[in-house]
Amino acid sequence: MKIEALLTEGRRLLQRQGTFSVALDVRLLLQAAAGLSHEEIIAHPAQDISREAESIFYASIARRSAHEPVSRILGRREFYGREYTITPDVLDPRPDTEVVVELALTHVKHGRFVDLGTGSGAIAITLCGEADQLIGIATDVSAAALQVARTNAQRLGVSDRLSFHKNTWFVGLTGAFDLIISNPPYIATHETLSPDVANYDPHIALFAGEDGLLAYREIARQASAHLSGHGVVIVEIGAGQITAVKSLFESHGLKLFDQAMDLAGHARALAFKNP
Ligand SMILES: C[S@@+](CC[C@H](N)C(=O)[O-])C[C@H]1O[C@@H](n2cnc3c(N)ncnc32)[C@H](O)[C@@H]1O
């Protein structure tokens, strides 16, 4: 079949499922199946695609119809200009998290950091990639997630400044940090999520107790003991969590001194330090 016909058929199949961003999804899946660039797809709509590529494409469309995100089907996601391998063991890093990294880089450009709950390694690897005087530890309670982060760090050329540590939050970490950063799980267990999140992101990366604040409680309780004198704590928060998270950290002696909004205008990243 020709490129043009496959694009039309792919769109028709996805539209039936009420998928958003149909045209983009179909193009990306066809590019990946056929090993073609965006330019090649546009320039040669009448080009025939091999039978093998065609069946990979239809298999991908079937997965997308079942609400699997394109990044999961492709096994990769771009974050802050770098491409990350993702597997079912890690959260698919979200564009909103780039705001968290951005806020960190405005305050800390050198020294020692820890990324608590690193997942694919997106935050820790971006920090090392953007600031060559930062050295860090990426932690996670999931050994499988840490393995993905380690592989990403090697491929993206920062493994000489990033080490990996498997444990819960601060357990086993020693020495003071100039930056403690985390995008912890922050969804309340009763919340209903869309199938593309609920069925594909690991639940350990999403849910944090009945009020969604379980991880913040742990991090807030221990953060100041691990912070250097001028150190900064930066956490990602969910929409509407600013008041609760601010008071949690303040109850442990830290002061909110900066924040950043996400693309939808919600406070997404909070920065705390010692008063
Ligand atoms: C929301 S995901 C964030 C992943 C990645 N940092 C990102 O922003 O894409 C939260 C991560 O915290 C990890 N996690 C959950 N509970 C943890 C715990 N008790 N201690 C350490 N990490 C934990 C999960 O395995 C997951 O990788």
Side-chain angles (χ1 to χ4, degrees):
M1 244 170 124
K2 298 187 189 319
I3 287 179
E4 207 171 26
L6 283 169
L7 288 173
T8 306
E9 181 59 4
R11 283 189 212 116
R12 191 186 67 77
L13 290 167
L14 282 194
Q15 254 146 13
R16 268 200 334 212
Q17 305 298 321
T19 311
F20 296 113
S21 64
V22 166
L24 175 64
D25 291 2
V26 171
R27 175 173 63 73
L28 292 172
L29 294 175
L30 185 59
Q31 274 177 229
L36 294 172
S37 66
H38 186 188
E39 291 71 25
E40 286 167 324
I41 294 262
I42 290 173
H44 308 290
Q47 183 180 317
D48 272 315
I49 297 299
S50 73
R51 280 205 182 283
E52 194 195 347
E54 197 178 311
S55 61
I56 295 172
F57 173 68
Y58 279 118
S60 302
I61 291 289
R63 288 171 70 177
R64 185 70 193 109
S65 297
H67 302 283
E68 185 167 352
V70 170
S71 50
R72 294 262 173 221
I73 299 169
L74 302 182
R76 54 186 148 87
R77 152 76 76 182
E78 192 183 311
F79 182 87
Y80 217 100
R82 295 176 183 81
E83 194 167 276
Y84 289 81
T85 294
I86 57 168
T87 73
D89 295 310
V90 299
L91 186 92
D92 183 356
R94 308 296 205 271
D96 283 336
T97 303
E98 294 183 344
V99 164
V100 181
V101 177
E102 194 96 42
L103 184 64
L105 288 168
T106 62
H107 295 295
V108 187
K109 293 186 178 59
H110 52 82
R112 186 167 180 258
F113 77 87
V114 61
D115 172 22
L116 300 169
T118 199
S120 64
I123 293 177
I125 293 169
T126 306
L127 288 172
C128 288
E130 296 297 313
D132 60 13
Q133 292 183 58
L134 276 176
I135 173 163
I137 303 179
T139 78
D140 210 292
V141 77
S142 157
L146 274 184
Q147 190 47 47
V148 175
R150 207 177 270 119
T151 308
N152 279 322
Q154 267 156 12
R155 192 170 37 75
L156 293 166
V158 300
S159 41
D160 56 333
R161 280 182 292 120
L162 197 56
S163 54
F164 298 87
H165 178 79
K166 184 195 162 309
N167 221 319
T168 180
W169 306 130
F170 289 98
V171 172
L173 296 177
T174 53
F177 294 97
D178 304 298
L179 170 65
I180 295 170
I181 190 165
S182 186
N183 171 20
Y186 53 66
I187 295 171
T189 38
H190 60 79
E191 258 185 64
T192 309
L193 300 173
S194 60
D196 56 333
V197 177
N199 296 344
Y200 297 100
D201 282 305
H203 286 193
I204 193 176
L206 299 174
F207 295 109
E210 280 179 16
D211 60 1
L213 299 172
L214 199 66
Y216 297 117
R217 268 190 205 97
E218 282 302 307
I219 294 171
R221 189 169 62 78
Q222 301 175 63
S224 17
H226 294 271
L227 212 52
S228 67
H230 55 273
V232 173
V233 180
I234 295 193
V235 288
E236 174 165 334
I237 58 167
Q241 288 182 320
I242 183 167
T243 309
V245 175
K246 177 175 181 279
S247 68
L248 264 177
F249 279 87
E250 287 184 347
S251 72
H252 291 283
L254 290 164
K255 185 178 157 35
L256 179 69
F257 74 99
D258 201 3
Q259 57 182 280
M261 304 288 174
D262 63 20
L263 307 169
H266 301 292
R268 178 63 63 179
L270 303 183
F272 297 90
K273 62 182 177 185
N274 284 309

